[in-house]
Amino acid sequence: MRHALVFGGSGQIGRPLLGLLQRNGWRVTAVSRHAQSDQPGLQWLRGDLAGLGGAPTRVDAILSCGPLDGFARWYAAATIECGRVIAFGSTSVDTKRGSADAAERDVARRLREGEDGVFATARARGAAATLLRPTLVYGAGRDATLTRIAQLAQRWGRFPLPRNANGLRQPVHVDDLAAAAFACLGSAAAHGQAYALPGGETLGYRDMVARVLAVLQPPPTLIELPSPLFNAALLAAQLTGRATGLGEAAVRRMRSDLVFDLAPAQRDFGYAPRPFRPRADMFALDPVAGD
């Protein structure tokens, strides 16, 4: 029986990935920072990338659904024998590289260094590594963008956007990301490659937000504001702590196209993401904090 070690197993991508592995006959050792219950064929280790005890000495595959930079450091120091490694990063490695925000540039730098580190360690050990870069993740109530928008809109009864927030987006469901990671396990073409994983539909930022609001009950109102008025409202929200993490660079990206080609992933491991068809339950806050 094939054996997989999965980091972030209780996270938004890790949960459906564990299900796929179990249903397809894999024995799984999964890692979570929180206590979890073992199941037939599934053993949980409590720990994280900074401190993990009791890990197996040999597995057939390692899959990381957690922070890429932390995984790269763990992998470089680990002595586990494994010939196949699949790790999630983010398309932010490209979209935030030239950001006006220093913190966002740092995110892109850490992602790039994480990718380079995983590939370098894999080459040194004769292992095959694949890096997966999702776009805007949704579907489990644990993402920091669409779920956050839904929660704020429900609280306020409305959601403001600057006018012309029509930059193109490709939101991707967590189940499609889990399926991509699983498909990579059987794809020799994916060895040594990095892939963007966009969703199956491209739509404008405003339309994306409108679809989210439309499935909530009652549906909040989408309000489009002139830029000066929106900026003033944003500043007020930041000063009161209601818009932490939403800076000028993030607002500017609402008008920028962030579009990626799914053809390489489609060609090499049959990637077939769904169109963006949200439901209210996809944005219900998950009671499990962290992974």
Side-chain angles (χ1 to χ4, degrees), residues 53-285:
T57 58
R58 185 188 183 283
V59 294
D60 298 287
I62 300 173
L63 301 103
S64 174
C65 307
L68 181 59
D69 53 347
F71 175 70
R73 289 190 295 270
W74 176 88
Y75 183 42
T79 58
I80 187 171
E81 294 181 30
C82 180
R84 190 72 176 99
V85 176
I86 299 169
F88 281 93
S90 170
T91 50
S92 293
V93 69
D94 293 320
T95 61
K96 294 183 178 179
R97 183 184 301 181
S99 173
D101 188 311
E104 292 188 347
R105 293 196 304 274
D106 185 61
V107 168
R109 175 189 60 80
R110 288 188 284 111
L111 285 167
R112 179 66 63 187
E113 290 177 355
E115 288 191 357
D116 292 345
V118 170
F119 280 133
T121 301
R123 285 194 300 269
R125 297 178 181 177
T130 301
L131 269 296
L132 301 177
R133 301 168 176 168
T135 51
L136 201 159
V137 181
Y138 75 98
R142 300 180 69 175
D143 63 276
T145 303
L146 294 182
T147 293
R148 185 182 182 198
I149 288 172
Q151 295 298 316
L152 290 173
Q154 286 184 308
R155 185 184 309 165
W156 299 336
R158 61 187 62 83
F159 193 81
L161 281 179
R163 284 181 183 165
N164 301 316
N166 294 317
L168 297 179
R169 295 294 187 273
Q170 298 164 305
V172 59
H173 195 280
V174 291
D175 287 353
D176 294 330
L177 297 175
F182 182 77
C184 280
L185 291 170
S187 171
H191 292 184
Q193 303 297 318
Y195 297 91
L197 296 183
E201 182 178 0
T202 301
L203 70 165
Y205 195 97
R206 181 203 177 281
D207 292 339
M208 178 181 70
V209 172
R211 286 193 197 178
V212 172
L213 302 189
V215 301
L216 304 178
Q217 292 299 324
T221 302
L222 178 60
I223 301 173
E224 295 182 86
L225 301 174
S227 290
L229 185 56
F230 179 86
N231 292 338
L234 177 61
L235 178 59
Q238 290 170 334
L239 291 174
T240 58
R242 292 180 294 169
T244 55
L246 183 61
E248 181 182 346
V251 174
R252 188 180 301 123
R253 277 198 302 276
M254 293 179 186
R255 297 189 176 101
S256 300
D257 294 343
L258 305 182
V259 177
F260 297 85
D261 186 6
L262 61 75
Q266 188 177 53
R267 177 195 66 221
D268 289 351
F269 50 88
Y271 182 56
R274 70 198 67 189
F276 185 55
R277 300 290 185 268
R279 302 188 311 267
D281 62 288
M282 295 178 179
F283 310 110
L285 285 178

